[in-house]
Amino acid sequence: MDYQALETCYKSIRQMTDFVPEIAIVLGSGLGDFADTIEVLGEISYKDIDNFPVSTAPGHAGKFVFGLLSGKKVICMKGRIHFYEGYGAEEVILPIRLIKMMGAKKVMLTNAAGGLNAEFRIGDFMMLTDHISLFAYNPLIGKNISELGERFTDMSVPYDKELCDIVRACAKRLAIPLKEGVYAQVTGPSYESPAETRLLRGLGADAVGMSTVMETIAARHMGMQVCAISCITNITYDISGKQPNEQEVMDAGKKNSKLFTAFITEIVKNM
């Protein structure tokens, strides 16, 4: 997708709203209830935006919700686009690019993830301090869109130190035992085999999922500040002996929804 196609999306959404967000929040599987806490000024379904991909993943409503949260102007993606849905990398990151064009300079990414770290438990929150993108398609492959960023994007500090400090401080205030670690994105939609989970763990990954890293790369390409939080919704089979399933992920996300909402609200308040 070239810059012209992206501009078509932008013009389409601007026909529906002139809202200029400060902060963007992307909600992972089972975590969509957070959007209900926003003082909603408007909603836009993905299907109503020209050239915009539609989310097909379970638990993803497929719409933008925008409004006020703790006095901050926020736009919330209630449902993301995944590579495993059959979309190309440029379509997966299109929402992030569009949100930046609308005005957001900071983005908080959330996801449901499988725990690779033997010390993790279902329901834990893990702040991403780094990631492994080797198993996910790099969304910047192809002709660079110079209007958005430079050809070679520095990923020395993918997750903004200032935002990470805010996340830590908010977890401490709310007495949330926050984990920190490295997240690996794989393509999905199949869950990882025992050999694959051992490989990922050997590379230093603490959690694994099917999103987030491609979005982080796109956001950093455009100079956005990024922070990301995983909700550990299952523990990988080679540790737990329990086969992962879609319903387990959804249920774990919903079970933690109230605490997650309080946590994200506190973070946004301090961003």
Side-chain angles (χ1 to χ4, degrees):
M1 183 173 287
D2 58 19
Y3 190 66
Q4 208 168 16
L6 185 59
E7 281 191 311
T8 298
C9 282
Y10 178 72
K11 288 174 182 175
S12 177
I13 203 168
R14 279 297 176 230
Q15 288 175 355
M16 293 178 269
T17 181
D18 60 359
F19 185 78
V20 179
E22 303 168 61
I23 301 165
I25 303 163
V26 180
L27 298 175
S29 298
L31 302 173
D33 289 350
F34 168 77
D36 298 336
T37 66
I38 296 172
E39 182 187 330
V40 177
L41 299 179
E43 296 184 359
I44 296 175
S45 175
Y46 298 163
K47 63 182 175 60
D48 293 331
I49 306 171
D50 293 342
N51 284 347
F52 202 89
V54 176
S55 178
T56 65
H60 291 253
K63 62 182 178 181
F64 286 116
V65 179
F66 52 91
L68 301 175
L69 182 64
S70 301
K72 305 285 176 66
K73 297 172 76 174
V74 301
I75 186 164
C76 186
M77 276 189 71
K78 198 171 181 181
R80 56 158 45 95
I81 311 302
H82 299 83
F83 192 63
Y84 67 72
E85 294 174 72
Y87 290 113
E90 289 186 338
E91 292 169 304
V92 171
I93 64 169
L94 190 152
I96 299 296
R97 286 176 163 173
L98 182 59
I99 284 168
K100 175 61 165 62
M101 289 179 75
M102 290 178 71
K105 293 181 172 60
K106 300 175 182 178
V107 59
M108 179 187 300
L109 304 170
T110 72
N111 61 59
L116 291 164
N117 190 317
E119 295 181 8
F120 286 5
R121 298 291 179 267
I122 292 175
D124 283 347
F125 292 119
M126 183 192 88
M127 182 181 74
L128 277 62
T129 54
D130 204 344
H131 66 232
I132 296 171
S133 64
L134 303 177
F135 305 103
Y137 192 87
N138 192 305
L140 303 183
I141 289 174
K143 184 180 178 182
N144 184 53
I145 301 178
S146 57
E147 293 89 344
L148 300 179
E150 298 178 352
R151 166 78 282 186
F152 299 102
T153 300
D154 177 30
M155 298 300 293
S156 302
V157 187
Y159 302 98
D160 186 78
K161 290 181 177 179
E162 178 188 348
L163 296 186
C164 286
D165 283 344
I166 290 170
V167 172
R168 288 187 189 99
C170 291
K172 188 174 182 180
R173 268 196 298 277
L174 296 177
I176 293 173
L178 182 68
K179 309 292 187 184
E180 298 187 19
V182 177
Y183 174 94
Q185 179 178 350
V186 293
T187 63
S190 55
Y191 290 105
E192 305 73 39
S193 73
E196 288 167 342
T197 55
R198 289 194 299 270
L199 171 65
L200 291 168
R201 194 178 297 110
L203 291 173
D206 296 287
V208 58
M210 304 172 191
S211 68
T212 304
V213 172
M214 293 169 76
E215 295 158 326
T216 296
I217 292 170
R220 294 298 305 126
H221 178 240
M222 296 180 292
M224 298 179 80
Q225 290 179 276
V226 184
C227 65
I229 299 171
S230 293
C231 177
I232 304 301
T233 50
N234 64 284
I235 303 299
T236 54
Y237 177 78
D238 67 324
I239 295 175
S240 67
K242 186 178 178 182
Q243 295 178 341
N245 64 79
E246 188 179 287
Q247 193 58 48
E248 176 188 41
V249 170
M250 296 294 298
D251 290 346
K254 286 177 180 176
K255 187 177 180 182
N256 285 278
S257 180
K258 196 170 284 187
L259 182 59
F260 172 81
T261 295
F263 190 23
I264 301 301
T265 302
E266 184 71 12
I267 294 167
V268 171
K269 194 187 299 182
N270 289 276
M271 284 176 79

